[in-house]
Amino acid sequence: MKKKEINYQLLIRRICLIVLDIICIIAASILALLTRFEFDFSQIPKEFLKVIYKYGPFTIVITLIIFSLFRIYSSLWEYAGIEEVFSLIAACLAAAVAKIVIILFTWSVMPRSWYVLDTIYLMILIGATRVSYRLIRLRRQNRTFPWSKRKKVMIIGGGEAGRSLITEIQNSKYLDQKVVWYATLI
């Protein structure tokens, strides 16, 4: 029986993403309360802060489990597309429902606006970390950003092979080209 090798670089990336997600979950909760109370920390009732403090670790664990169920940590965010974005949104919405259930079943009280604001901030913060990760990876690989000046390329024909060629051009760190036109016969 062959032993499965551990990819330590991938493991470190996933651990970093999990740590960033924990920070984002905490920040989203606090930002939602701050937004609700007009960014005046002294106006926030202590009972709301106690709910976050008391059930925060539990909601963090549940949110991370939901993220893993939605395969947020399995995707290579270097090549993230619209499917990953929809998966991220669905995971944040599922985490919001889980938070609502946790808070309601513990007979705790939070402002109604907190649930919506927390979800919005969570989507923004998690999305921003993933986009930042992608931009950092582009820069570390000495690849140009998508908006920088590159040689323009037009592809005519090719069908599926043409689509594969576009993907290769976009993802290659050796080609300094940008597909500006693609035409194929159906």
Side-chain angles (χ1 to χ4, degrees):
M1 192 161 101
K2 194 175 184 182
K3 240 185 176 178
K4 188 175 180 182
E5 290 185 34
I6 297 174
N7 185 345
Y8 288 106
Q9 187 177 12
L10 182 63
L11 181 65
I12 290 171
R13 276 189 221 154
R14 286 183 180 166
I15 289 171
C16 288
L17 285 176
I18 289 170
V19 169
L20 276 174
D21 287 350
I22 291 170
I23 293 168
C24 289
I25 294 165
I26 294 167
S29 295
I30 293 170
L31 276 172
L33 273 180
L34 282 171
T35 303
R36 165 62 179 85
F37 292 100
E38 300 172 356
F39 294 97
D40 187 3
F41 194 78
S42 63
Q43 285 186 0
I44 300 174
K46 301 294 182 210
E47 64 190 47
F48 298 148
L49 293 173
K50 285 181 185 177
V51 170
I52 290 178
Y53 182 73
K54 187 174 183 180
Y55 300 110
F58 188 63
T59 58
I60 289 171
V61 170
I62 295 296
T63 303
L64 293 177
I65 290 170
I66 289 171
F67 282 3
S68 66
L69 290 175
F70 278 86
R71 302 183 59 79
I72 300 297
Y73 303 114
S74 299
S75 174
L76 286 173
W77 283 90
E78 181 180 0
Y79 305 110
I82 196 73
E83 296 87 14
E84 285 82 5
V85 172
F86 283 136
S87 179
L88 188 70
I89 290 170
C92 288
L93 289 173
V97 170
K99 285 180 186 179
I100 291 169
V101 169
I102 290 168
I103 290 173
L104 290 178
F105 278 118
T106 58
W107 300 97
S108 299
V109 179
M110 289 298 278
R112 290 186 303 264
S113 60
W114 178 82
Y115 300 106
V116 175
L117 292 170
D118 180 59
T119 305
I120 291 170
Y121 280 129
L122 186 62
M123 285 182 198
I124 291 170
L125 291 172
I126 298 291
T129 59
R130 297 319 194 262
V131 170
S132 301
Y133 174 77
R134 187 172 180 172
L135 291 175
I136 290 168
R137 299 253 322 150
L138 281 173
R139 183 48 59 197
R140 283 185 65 202
Q141 293 174 347
N142 290 327
R143 289 172 51 187
T144 57
F145 291 115
W147 55 83
S148 63
K149 294 210 175 226
R150 295 183 283 170
K151 185 176 179 182
K152 296 178 181 175
V153 176
M154 177 173 66
I155 299 173
I156 300 174
E160 284 298 318
R163 288 189 190 137
S164 297
L165 182 61
I166 290 171
T167 304
E168 183 62 32
I169 289 171
Q170 290 173 339
N171 294 333
S172 175
K173 63 181 175 181
Y174 302 109
L175 298 175
D176 194 24
Q177 299 172 346
K178 175 182 177 182
V179 178
V180 293
W181 184 263
Y182 174 65
T184 185
L185 298 173
I186 297 176

